[in-house]
Amino acid sequence: MKENNDIPLLEAFANRKGPLRASEVQPEVLHFLNSGQLETVNLTEWLAVDHYRLLTAILVETDGQRHVDTLLPGMERIKGLAVTKAIPTVAEGWLALFQTISQQERNAIFHRLSAHRSDSVRCWAAYIVGLEPSGLEQKLEGIRHFAADHHFGVREIAWMAVRDAISRELKQAISLLEKWVWDEDANIRRFAVEATRPRGVWARHIAELKEHPEQALPLLEPLKSDHSKYVQDSVANWLNDAAKSQPDWVSEICRKWLEGCDDRSTKRIAARAQRSLKNG
């Protein structure tokens, strides 16, 4: 398809509803997703993206074939990988390429990736931040842009990208993230909680928080009455994680939060936080 002929189709698909199954993703939509011209609209589409085809398109778009022969051959291993493994593998490839070019060119490419119209490409950029050999404070500063992204997929990858670094330096991470839970942006507040969940989703567990969840109270307490359901769900899920190893502690925290409290947000969080306990 020629670019000029693509424009009406792109506009037609802009407000589409996401399919329930991968087999229902329209071929034209998949073409635009794999060429970096559309954002995914739901998890089904996000998981359906072919990151090898997308990388091929973005390399040509970014540098006009100049780095294709350097980066692409080593990326054939991502074919067939789950998206959560393909994204960090692509990020590793970009980082390897960055070692061979100037800082100016590296900065220019990273800027294009981090501001790209494709959410999948921005996911690569988020993981580049997470994999770079830098300190935790620098990583968190770099990931903040992606934690506030308008797209759900980029926000999820943002916390996944820095979770290992957070796990390694947990006390410092909690101290740094304390400021985040007071941010006006619900996405930033939610990130501080989601990134430190004891069990998490698609991520390694944080053993220290499974055994000693009280360490994260500086992140949880300020959000116990948060008005955003997005944040409420994250706090509740954090406590539900903790309840699987420290049920009495979670019950006591919820009891304290509810004592003399008539706030709907707190009641909702407490109810969802204890859902595993009630089912047990």
Side-chain angles (χ1 to χ4, degrees):
M1 285 184 280
K2 295 181 180 179
E3 186 174 351
N4 288 342
N5 294 333
D6 285 350
I7 294 175
L9 273 176
L10 281 168
E11 292 176 347
F13 289 129
N15 297 317
R16 69 193 181 283
K17 291 184 178 180
L20 296 177
R21 291 178 289 274
S23 60
E24 296 174 353
V25 180
Q26 296 180 52
E28 296 89 349
V29 169
L30 195 58
H31 163 76
F32 290 132
L33 294 176
N34 290 335
S35 58
Q37 298 180 75
L38 274 181
E39 284 195 327
T40 62
V41 297
N42 68 354
L43 182 61
T44 301
E45 287 190 357
W46 191 77
L47 294 172
V49 172
D50 183 331
H51 282 261
Y52 184 81
R53 288 181 60 189
L54 179 60
L55 179 60
T56 303
I58 299 306
L59 276 168
V60 174
E61 174 189 301
T62 301
D63 52 48
Q65 291 277 6
R66 194 157 62 88
H67 296 309
V68 170
D69 293 338
T70 302
L71 179 54
L72 203 57
M75 287 293 104
E76 289 193 3
R77 65 186 186 276
I78 69 174
K79 294 179 179 179
L81 284 181
V83 172
T84 52
K85 293 186 180 297
I87 290 171
T89 303
V90 173
E92 289 172 355
W94 282 109
L95 281 171
L97 175 65
F98 287 171
Q99 299 302 312
T100 69
I101 59 180
S102 69
Q103 185 68 41
Q104 182 178 2
E105 186 177 4
R106 170 182 172 159
N107 291 343
I109 291 176
F110 179 76
H111 175 74
R112 291 193 66 173
L113 298 179
S114 62
H116 202 276
R117 60 186 171 273
S118 166
D119 57 281
S120 296
V121 174
R122 299 199 302 278
C123 285
W124 299 344
Y127 242 105
I128 289 173
V129 173
L131 294 174
E132 281 184 317
S134 58
L136 178 61
E137 186 169 6
Q138 185 177 348
K139 284 184 186 295
L140 289 177
E141 289 176 359
I143 210 67
R144 188 183 182 96
H145 167 77
F146 303 99
D149 197 277
H150 68 271
H151 193 277
F152 70 91
V154 181
R155 295 196 300 270
E156 292 305 298
I157 287 296
W159 68 259
M160 292 175 64
V162 295
R163 185 168 167 88
D164 284 350
I166 286 173
S167 299
R168 289 193 299 269
E169 302 177 67
L170 186 58
K171 290 184 179 179
Q172 183 189 10
I174 291 173
S175 177
L176 291 169
L177 291 171
E178 281 187 59
K179 295 180 180 179
W180 291 45
V181 299
W182 297 101
D183 198 273
E184 292 183 359
D185 188 340
N187 293 327
I188 296 296
R189 300 196 302 275
R190 190 250 188 187
F191 174 94
V193 178
E194 205 68 20
T196 58
R197 279 179 59 178
R199 295 172 185 269
V201 180
W202 293 342
R204 294 178 184 174
H205 295 182
I206 301 179
E208 192 172 348
L209 288 177
K210 287 166 67 175
E211 294 303 315
H212 302 285
E214 68 277 1
Q215 293 183 65
L217 277 176
L219 305 180
L220 303 173
E221 286 275 4
L223 302 176
K224 63 184 179 183
S225 299
D226 200 278
H227 65 274
S228 166
K229 287 188 176 181
Y230 192 50
V231 177
Q232 292 170 24
D233 287 346
S234 189
V235 174
N237 289 337
W238 200 110
L239 291 170
N240 186 59
D241 281 358
K244 294 171 183 175
S245 53
Q246 300 295 335
D248 293 341
W249 180 82
V250 171
S251 295
E252 179 62 13
I253 287 298
C254 290
R255 185 192 66 77
K256 288 182 178 179
W257 286 3
L258 291 171
E259 189 174 356
C261 174
D262 195 37
D263 187 273
R264 290 183 179 180
S265 298
T266 306
K267 290 179 179 179
R268 183 174 184 272
I269 290 172
R272 292 176 64 82
Q274 298 178 88
R275 63 188 185 272
S276 293
L277 300 180
K278 295 177 180 178
N279 293 334

